[in-house]
Amino acid sequence: MEQKLLIYNTLTRQKERFQPLNAPNVGMYVCGPTVYGDPHLGHARPAITFDILFRYLKHLGYKVRYVRNITDVGHLEHDADEGDDKIAKKARLEQLEPMEIAQHYTRRYHQAMDALGVLPPSIEPHATAHIIEQEELVKQIMDNGFAYESNGSIYFDIEAYNKKHHYGILSGRSLENIKDESRSLAGVGEKHNQADFALWKKAQPEHIMRWPSPWSDGFPGWHCECTAMGRKYLGSQFDIHGGGLDLVFPHHECEIAQAVAAQGEPMVKYWMHNNMITINGKKMGKSYNNFITLEQFFTGDHPLLSQAFSPMTIRFFILSAHYRSTVDFSDEALIASQKGLEKLMNAIGDLDRIVPSDSCDAETERVVKGLRQRCYDAMNDDLATQLVIAALFEACTVVNRLVDHKGTICADCLDELRDTMHLFAIDLLGLHPEHSAGNDAREKAFGAVVDMVLDLRAKAKAAKDWATSDHIRDELARLGFEVKDTKDGAVWKL
């Protein structure tokens, strides 16, 4: 059955049927990290959100080129047009080359994404490798009369642009509002207008990262890289541009203006944005000094955490809410996610223990036969992963009933249940069982020892040695094992 995917387009402020410009090919660009510090939960959310979209589009049969950039130059401290480059500042503090900083934190980002089960993008371009493309973009904008030079720097002329187009179309802001918001920014002296933004900055003598250009030795403005690299790898028009909601203004607004000023038409059809993760109602991020790195989640080494949380627990936590809703972090919410993930993975593992019957009971048949379309309906409604998880939880209840011999399922329905749960939980949501230290041989040996102990308990029960049987059960419970007696024998989990 053909699936009709709806996605929320920030540009039109409504859900729209996804129709690629050149089906079956899909071009998708997502803003990646600025690599000057360890990745935190705020980095995980867009990566996981657009990983889900990437997986689902491929599942629907599209050939997806997914581009996610690395910002390793040009992103200034306060997202204004003055101050230090974030990476260069870190390099000075640590007495390293800027590229050492960028390389180190890019590697850290990749390690965290791998742990979270985020698939690598098709192309991962670095801003520093595309200076020529960014200079060419600036030249085009200048040639079309939408930029000017001032003391060796190039600024985008918002008023000139706004006479023919609409600056503010994505964020819904008027030019006057933008001017008012910009009055407090530093560096206005070089600009015709406070709201104008830098396309190229002349480097001061102390600035480490610089490249030659027709205007000065300098570096590109932060907004240029995504427009230039998006055009290079996806063409002058492509389907989807994604990122965090905090990028709508000014970054994505400036991207739209740059593309239209350079080529006379918009570059992107669908703009998609994930919402923020908050702590006590305030956005989590480095600029607020309230972030928790992913490494701290994985080790539990943070005062707000009561324990370590696995990468899959973090992924489950993020997918438990719709990507456009705010998620407020709490230790309690992560503990709930840990239990929810365990429930789902246990149920998927228990599917292999179910022996099919000749027929299904009515409740089992109802849930199983409606499960696949219910999950598709949720995914097609703007990637409602929280509803997919709710549907899978109902399937978990069915699995638990079947394991406890409180229901029956036919072979065909068992195959359908297994295939659907694997498809949506593992293939599309990207969740999977976690293994301690990744040591399969050790885990097999561990499981074999527990099974041997339970076999001794079974022999004690058969011999009516209740004292020994109860002692083994109680000792296992004390060590953290839950043992359940079923018609097919004892089963356990930690």
Side-chain angles (χ1 to χ4, degrees):
M1 180 186 294
E2 181 186 1
Q3 303 300 328
K4 296 180 179 179
L5 172 62
L6 294 175
I7 57 176
Y8 184 86
N9 189 350
T10 309
L11 187 64
T12 60
R13 295 165 183 76
Q14 64 184 7
K15 292 179 188 176
E16 297 179 7
R17 168 85 183 274
F18 178 64
Q19 295 179 304
L21 294 166
N22 299 293
N25 299 301
V26 172
M28 180 169 78
Y29 188 102
V30 175
C31 290
T34 302
V35 282
Y36 70 103
D38 273 338
H40 55 73
L41 199 59
H43 293 119
R45 194 171 196 193
I48 291 171
T49 294
F50 292 101
D51 180 60
I52 296 296
L53 180 59
F54 184 35
R55 289 169 181 265
Y56 193 55
L57 288 172
K58 290 198 295 181
H59 171 70
L60 295 181
Y62 293 114
K63 184 179 179 181
V64 186
R65 177 177 287 176
Y66 175 18
V67 181
R68 187 186 67 207
N69 69 298
I70 296 291
T71 297
D72 55 0
V73 67
H75 197 154
L76 303 184
E77 272 187 282
H78 304 294
D79 298 341
D81 289 326
E82 296 296 322
D84 287 333
D85 182 292
K86 292 182 178 182
I87 292 168
K89 181 181 180 183
K90 186 85 169 181
R92 276 195 297 272
L93 289 172
E94 299 192 13
Q95 295 184 320
L96 296 170
E97 282 290 326
M99 285 299 103
E100 285 184 272
I101 296 294
Q103 181 67 19
H104 173 74
Y105 288 113
T106 299
R107 187 165 57 247
R108 297 281 288 173
Y109 178 77
H110 287 157
Q111 290 168 347
M113 294 306 107
D114 288 345
L116 290 168
V118 173
L119 299 176
S122 315
I123 302 173
E124 190 176 56
H126 291 229
T128 52
H130 296 80
I131 301 297
I132 292 173
E133 289 84 355
Q134 294 177 74
E135 288 186 14
E136 183 60 32
L137 173 70
V138 176
K139 289 176 189 175
Q140 290 175 343
I141 295 171
M142 289 190 77
D143 289 345
N144 291 337
F146 296 114
Y148 56 89
E149 182 176 353
S150 181
N151 297 326
S153 294
I154 308 298
Y155 292 98
F156 190 93
D157 192 334
I158 286 183
E159 285 201 336
Y161 176 83
N162 214 51
K163 288 176 183 177
K164 295 184 178 181
H165 307 287
H166 178 196
Y167 184 79
I169 191 172
L170 185 68
S171 60
R173 304 179 188 213
S174 69
L175 183 57
E176 289 307 312
N177 286 340
I178 293 167
K179 285 181 181 179
D180 290 341
E181 292 172 6
S182 303
R183 293 190 198 284
S184 61
L185 293 179
V188 172
E190 290 187 346
K191 302 180 184 181
H192 294 176
N193 188 300
Q194 298 98 318
D196 293 346
F197 58 90
L199 299 173
W200 184 266
K201 285 290 291 180
K202 179 181 179 179
Q204 298 303 310
E206 69 276 8
H207 201 93
I208 306 172
M209 304 177 80
R210 58 174 69 215
W211 290 264
S213 79
W215 318 289
S216 63
D217 278 6
F219 55 95
W222 168 40
H223 310 302
C224 288
E225 62 177 285
C226 292
T227 305
M229 294 190 294
R231 289 201 310 176
K232 179 178 176 67
Y233 295 110
L234 299 174
S236 60
Q237 289 186 308
F238 57 88
D239 299 295
I240 298 169
H241 195 316
L245 194 64
D246 57 332
L247 297 178
V248 170
F249 187 88
H251 185 48
H252 289 166
E253 197 74 78
C254 293
E255 277 199 64
I256 290 175
Q258 289 171 163
V260 173
Q263 63 190 32
E265 60 184 359
M267 187 171 65
V268 177
K269 185 175 181 181
Y270 303 97
W271 287 88
M272 297 180 68
H273 295 91
N274 63 275
N275 213 321
M276 300 296 100
I277 292 178
T278 59
I279 296 182
N280 298 321
K282 190 172 185 178
K283 178 195 166 188
M284 177 185 289
K286 288 189 176 72
S287 57
Y288 296 103
N289 200 32
N290 67 349
F291 65 96
I292 304 174
T293 69
L294 292 171
E295 181 71 18
Q296 288 171 321
F297 278 108
F298 302 160
T299 62
D301 185 20
H302 193 280
L304 292 176
L305 301 174
S306 64
Q307 62 176 76
F309 293 98
S310 70
M312 281 298 108
T313 297
I314 301 300
R315 187 177 180 103
F316 188 91
F317 168 68
I318 288 172
L319 295 178
S320 295
H322 191 271
Y323 77 90
R324 287 194 292 114
S325 67
T326 302
V327 175
D328 197 49
F329 157 82
S330 70
D331 190 72
E332 293 78 14
L334 284 175
I335 290 172
S337 292
Q338 185 178 53
K339 292 178 179 177
L341 176 66
E342 181 183 7
K343 174 182 177 180
L344 180 57
M345 292 299 109
N346 284 342
I348 290 174
D350 285 344
L351 284 166
D352 293 333
R353 297 174 44 218
I354 297 171
V355 179
S357 302
D358 293 334
S359 61
C360 296
D361 66 83
E363 175 64 9
T364 297
E365 186 173 24
R366 179 191 71 80
V367 173
V368 172
K369 290 195 171 179
L371 180 63
R372 182 175 292 255
Q373 193 55 52
R374 186 177 166 191
C375 290
Y376 270 127
D377 289 345
M379 289 296 288
N380 290 332
D381 187 13
D382 195 31
L383 306 179
T385 55
Q386 80 284 8
L387 298 182
V388 176
I389 291 173
L392 292 172
F393 274 178
E394 188 171 0
C396 292
T397 301
V398 168
V399 171
N400 293 337
R401 283 198 306 106
L402 294 171
V403 168
D404 291 341
H405 300 282
K406 295 177 180 177
T408 58
I409 188 170
C410 67
D412 287 345
C413 284
L414 180 58
D415 288 341
E416 171 67 12
L417 181 60
R418 182 182 293 110
D419 290 347
T420 300
M421 292 189 77
H422 272 264
L423 170 63
F424 285 94
I426 296 173
D427 296 342
L428 296 180
L429 295 189
L431 300 167
H432 58 75
E434 294 178 294
H435 305 288
S436 57
N439 192 326
D440 291 338
R442 182 184 299 172
E443 289 173 16
K444 287 179 181 177
F446 177 81
V449 170
V450 178
D451 289 339
M452 181 177 68
V453 172
L454 288 177
D455 185 53
L456 293 174
R457 177 172 175 264
K459 289 177 180 177
K461 288 179 70 176
K464 300 187 185 306
D465 183 356
W466 308 120
T468 299
S469 170
D470 291 346
H471 176 70
I472 291 173
R473 181 199 63 207
D474 293 344
E475 280 299 297
L476 286 172
R478 185 181 65 80
L479 294 170
F481 292 90
E482 180 183 321
V483 178
K484 183 184 290 187
D485 291 309
T486 74
K487 292 180 180 178
D488 301 319
V491 294
W492 64 272
K493 64 180 179 181
L494 189 61

